[in-house]
Amino acid sequence: MHLILLGPPGAGKGTQAQRIAAARRLVQLSSGDILRSEVRAGSEVGRRARSFMDQGTLVPDAIITEVMLAGIDRVPREPGFVLDGFPRTVAQAEALEAGLAARGMRIDAVLNFDMPDGDIVRRIVGRRTCSNCHATYNVEFLPPRSTDVCDVCGQRLTQRDDDREEVVVTRLRTYRAQTAPLVNYYQGKGLLRNVDASAAPETVEAAVRRILDGLGAVG
Ligand code: AMP
């Protein structure tokens, strides 16, 4: 199964991608996590991506497409992958489709996590991430058992640099201008499945499970 999670920053794509990956034994490929690890490693890609990420704008299509196709080539073909945060432009979607076709693969479904802008800012500002295992939490909606400590691995939770309110506004604007057109793009291909992302994580997870079961997947 090859899935794409689409939706504005803070809509819970990362959280749901982790849950889908665990439940279906899929590999989660999160473009933001991959780029952040390139930045931490000080690689050429990381150096080129960093200023865009700091500003909340998109890394150029050619860079991210190459990084993600390389990621796809590194994971086992079966049972598949869930892409979180990629593609983010129509050009990336076209490059992905061509890249997958060249590898004898295709996307099975695109889950569109929709949410009003006001809720998004509240969610992002409360978001905390484990610096070690990348598990995500929210101080308001999905708190860890003990404050600022990861439930999974016990490391400290941190706030992402680009989760500050002024950068969030740019990221949302970027989403609406450059990524939202993908909703119509994938609707036109008959791949889009809408998910109400404003519900609690367990409710969203159940909705996602029903959609994936409907695709004929084994859960
Ligand atoms: P995320 O963790 O998905 O919110 O991504 C963090 C940042 O990484 C974004 O604000 C962009 O600067 C960059 N980024 C992640 N995915 C992409 C993508 N598909 N295309 C361009 N830039 C991306």
Side-chain angles (χ1 to χ4, degrees), residues 7-10 13 30-36 49-61 63-65 68 84-89 92 124 127 160 162-163 167 170-171 174 178-179:
K13 296 187 302 295
S30 156
S31 54
D33 283 350
I34 293 171
L35 288 173
R36 280 184 288 279
R50 182 168 197 159
S51 59
F52 300 100
M53 297 172 74
D54 286 346
Q55 287 166 43
T57 57
L58 295 184
V59 171
D61 290 333
I63 298 178
I64 189 69
T65 301
M68 295 306 286
D84 153 28
F86 176 84
R88 262 190 164 78
T89 64
Q92 290 177 23
I124 297 189
R127 179 155 71 177
R160 278 170 47 176
D162 60 351
D163 277 352
V167 185
T170 305
R171 288 166 63 206
T174 302
Q178 292 179 269
T179 308

Side-chain angles (χ1 to χ4, degrees), residues 193-217:
R193 303 287 186 277
N194 287 307
V195 179
D196 173 9
S198 48
E202 286 64 35
T203 311
V204 176
E205 187 180 359
V208 167
R209 195 181 312 124
R210 279 193 299 278
I211 292 170
L212 298 186
D213 287 345
L215 295 175

